[in-house]
Amino acid sequence: SIPPRRAVAMSRSPRARTDDDAPPTDWLGELPPELHLRILEGVDDFSDCAAFSLASPRLGLLALRSGLARFKDPLFAVAMRLLLIERLIAGSFVGAAIVDTLN
C-alpha cells in the first residue's frame, strides 16, 4: 500500500513579485526607432499594417510620421476602419470613443 502524503509546512512565505520579475510586455519598445521602421517596411499587407497600428499605436504613428508608403495609402485607412468595426462587433472594444472614431 502507498503511504499517505504529509502536508509540508512552508518555512517562509513566498516573496512578493516585483517589476524586475515580470517579463517585459512591450518587446518592440526596447528596440531603437530605426529598427522599428525597418520592421514596418517589411509589412506589405494593409490589414497587417492596421493590426500592427492597433496593437502598438506608438509604432503606427512612427510609421505614419516617417512617411512609410503603406501607412499613408488610402487602403490602409480602409483596412483600419474594417479592423476597428470587426473588433467593435466582436466586443473587443467598448465605449463611445471608438464609435466616434468611425463616424
Side-chain angles (χ1 to χ4, degrees):
S1 90
I2 300 173
R5 292 186 142 182
R6 290 186 194 171
V8 178
M10 293 183 69
S11 60
R12 60 188 172 123
S13 61
R15 181 175 63 86
R17 189 176 186 113
T18 64
D19 288 339
D20 294 334
D21 296 335
T25 56
D26 185 8
W27 295 96
L28 292 175
E30 298 177 8
L31 301 174
E34 297 81 18
L35 191 52
H36 290 160
L37 289 175
R38 296 292 296 201
I39 292 169
L40 293 172
E41 285 173 353
V43 179
D44 60 356
D45 182 80
F46 294 111
S47 296
D48 291 340
C49 293
F52 220 116
S53 295
L54 286 177
S56 180
R58 182 179 51 82
L59 294 180
L61 285 173
L62 176 67
L64 185 64
R65 290 177 180 157
S66 297
L68 292 181
R70 287 271 182 217
F71 289 82
K72 289 189 142 296
D73 194 295
L75 289 176
F76 167 71
V78 171
M80 190 70 142
R81 282 184 177 238
L82 289 174
L83 190 55
L84 283 169
I85 291 168
E86 181 181 295
R87 289 190 178 187
L88 183 64
I89 291 171
S92 296
F93 290 121
V94 178
I98 298 297
V99 175
D100 291 341
T101 305
L102 297 175
N103 292 328

